[in-house]
């Protein structure tokens, strides 16, 4: 099956990397909406519109399943994407539910921290999912907007990222035992986060999502899958920065023009 993976830009490569390991027999097509990144600072309406448009393009390529790697898009657009996906016969996966399930598995007695973009924190999808499954667990939801540009610069070690992390998260020390990395970019900062929040379990929703998709697909078969990379803006930056998130160079990268959203995804126009 062809599986579509989409993100606002580059960070979703952390999810793609996990999916490539978890779904070795499937062809993966990754679409980074680099012309419209970031989604994390935009309104829910805009994120829904962009997400429908990207998904419509992937539906036209013939994907049988769609993984919304972007936490902000998963937060705001999942209901609209699932509705359109149902009509198009495409199974749609997000990153929020798997991330929350994984967090609840490792959580002990303290609070759970949810770290994400401003949009993800304001959209409350993580907080609501935790409340649904574990109403008594305290939640600390913290937007960490500077983590995205730092990760994109590859500036994930040293004084500056550590001071930024301390500024956002220092007050959580001793109060949380689990932190959900609710943004595609945050796994790149994991070493710093471990230093600022010692002893705290960092839950990478990328890995949890890949596991959830694998479970839904059933046992793997022979590894014959391929990976294709598409972007909506100039490929050069994606190629250069993508290594931070994908582990090696995401090549070759093709530029695509999304065009208007069509069919079941048409309200993305
Ligand atoms: N991909 C986004 C997320 O996971 C982070 C980057 C952005 O703001 O678009 O929320």
């Amino acid at each position: 099956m062809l599986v579509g993976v989409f993100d606002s830009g580059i960070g979703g490569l952390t999810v793609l990397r996990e999916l490539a390991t978890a779904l070795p027999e499937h062809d993966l097509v990754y679409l980074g909406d680099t012309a419209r990144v970031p989604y994390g600072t935009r309104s829910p309406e805009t994120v829904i519109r962009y997400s429908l448009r990207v998904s419509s393009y992937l539906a036209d390529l013939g994907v049988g399943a769609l993984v919304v790697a972007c936490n902000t898009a998963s937060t705001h657009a999942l209901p609209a994407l699932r509705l359109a996906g149902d009509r198009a016969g495409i199974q749609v996966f997000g990153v929020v539910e798997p991330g929350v399930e994984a967090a609840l598995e490792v959580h002990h007695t303290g609070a759970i921290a949810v770290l994400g973009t401003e949009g993800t924190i304001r959209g409350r999808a993580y907080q609501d999912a935790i409340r649904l499954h574990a109403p008594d667990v305290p939640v600390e939801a913290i937007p960490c907007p500077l983590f995205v540009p730092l990760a994109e610069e590859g500036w994930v070690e040293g004084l500056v990222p550590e001071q930024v992390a301390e500024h956002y998260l220092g007050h959580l020390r001793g109060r949380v035992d689990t932190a959900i990395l609710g943004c595609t970019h945050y796994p790149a900062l994991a070493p710093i986060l471990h230093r600022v929040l010692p002893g705290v379990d960092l839950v990478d929703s990328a890995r949890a999502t890949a596991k959830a998709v694998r479970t839904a697909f059933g046992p793997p078969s022979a590894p014959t899958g391929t990976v294709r990379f598409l972007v909506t803006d100039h490929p050069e930056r994606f190629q250069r920065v993508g290594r931070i998130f994908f582990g090696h160079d995401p090549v070759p990268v093709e530029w695509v023009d999304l065009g208007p959203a069509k069919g079941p995804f048409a309200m993305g126009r």
Side-chain angles (χ1 to χ4, degrees), residues 48-64:
I48 292 170
R49 192 158 41 84
Y50 288 175
S51 302
L52 285 163
R53 205 166 158 197
V54 171
S55 303
S56 175
Y57 186 90
L58 289 170
D60 275 355
L61 294 184
V63 301

Side-chain angles (χ1 to χ4, degrees), residues 16-48:
L16 184 73
R17 186 179 55 193
E18 299 294 340
L19 285 167
T21 308
L23 309 175
E25 77 278 33
H26 292 290
D27 293 326
L28 303 174
V29 55
Y30 179 93
L31 203 162
D33 193 10
T34 48
R36 278 161 281 268
V37 72
Y39 283 15
T41 51
R42 299 192 195 280
S43 69
E45 296 73 23
T46 298
V47 173
I48 292 170

Side-chain angles (χ1 to χ4, degrees), residues 20-267:
T21 308
L23 309 175
E25 77 278 33
H26 292 290
D27 293 326
L28 303 174
V29 55
Y30 179 93
L31 203 162
D33 193 10
T34 48
R36 278 161 281 268
V37 72
Y39 283 15
T41 51
R42 299 192 195 280
S43 69
E45 296 73 23
T46 298
V47 173
I48 292 170
R49 192 158 41 84
Y50 288 175
S51 302
L52 285 163
R53 205 166 158 197
V54 171
S55 303
S56 175
Y57 186 90
L58 289 170
D60 275 355
L61 294 184
V63 301
L66 180 67
V67 180
V68 184
C70 178
N71 290 259
T72 310
S74 290
T75 296
H76 295 313
L78 208 60
L81 294 175
R82 287 214 161 121
L83 204 67
D86 280 351
R87 286 193 231 123
I90 297 170
Q91 198 175 359
V92 180
F93 298 88
V95 289
V96 173
E97 274 291 329
V100 167
E101 277 168 29
L104 291 174
E105 269 170 34
V106 297
H107 163 259
H108 305 293
T109 51
I112 296 182
V114 176
L115 317 182
T117 64
E118 289 173 64
T120 295
I121 299 304
R122 250 189 290 115
R124 300 194 54 83
Y126 275 106
Q127 297 94 305
D128 290 347
I130 295 171
R131 198 141 296 143
L132 187 71
H133 295 292
D136 297 331
V137 174
V139 178
E140 297 274 358
I142 315 285
C144 308
L146 284 176
F147 284 174
V148 169
L150 282 171
E152 295 238 345
E153 281 299 315
W155 201 349
V156 293
E157 279 292 352
L159 203 60
V160 171
E162 190 148 349
Q163 277 177 348
V164 172
E166 176 63 30
H167 173 77
Y168 287 142
L169 308 174
H171 67 288
L172 297 179
R173 254 192 311 277
R175 289 173 42 211
V176 303
D177 63 30
T178 308
I180 299 177
L181 306 183
C183 174
T184 48
H185 290 60
Y186 297 1
L189 288 139
I192 290 264
L193 298 176
H194 277 301
R195 275 205 289 285
V196 172
L197 296 175
V200 171
D201 277 313
L202 301 181
V203 175
D204 178 351
S205 48
R207 188 158 303 161
T209 301
K211 208 169 136 201
V213 179
R214 178 72 272 169
T215 305
F217 283 10
S221 50
T224 54
T226 57
V227 184
R228 193 175 160 201
F229 302 94
L230 311 177
V231 291
T232 53
D233 198 8
H234 200 275
E236 188 273 328
R237 185 163 202 280
F238 181 89
Q239 224 158 284
R240 184 164 41 84
V241 185
R243 165 179 275 275
I244 299 168
F245 300 96
F246 196 52
H248 50 271
D249 290 336
V251 282
V253 187
E254 300 162 56
W255 174 83
V256 295
D257 182 4
L258 294 183
K262 296 193 289 263
F265 299 89
M267 48 183 162

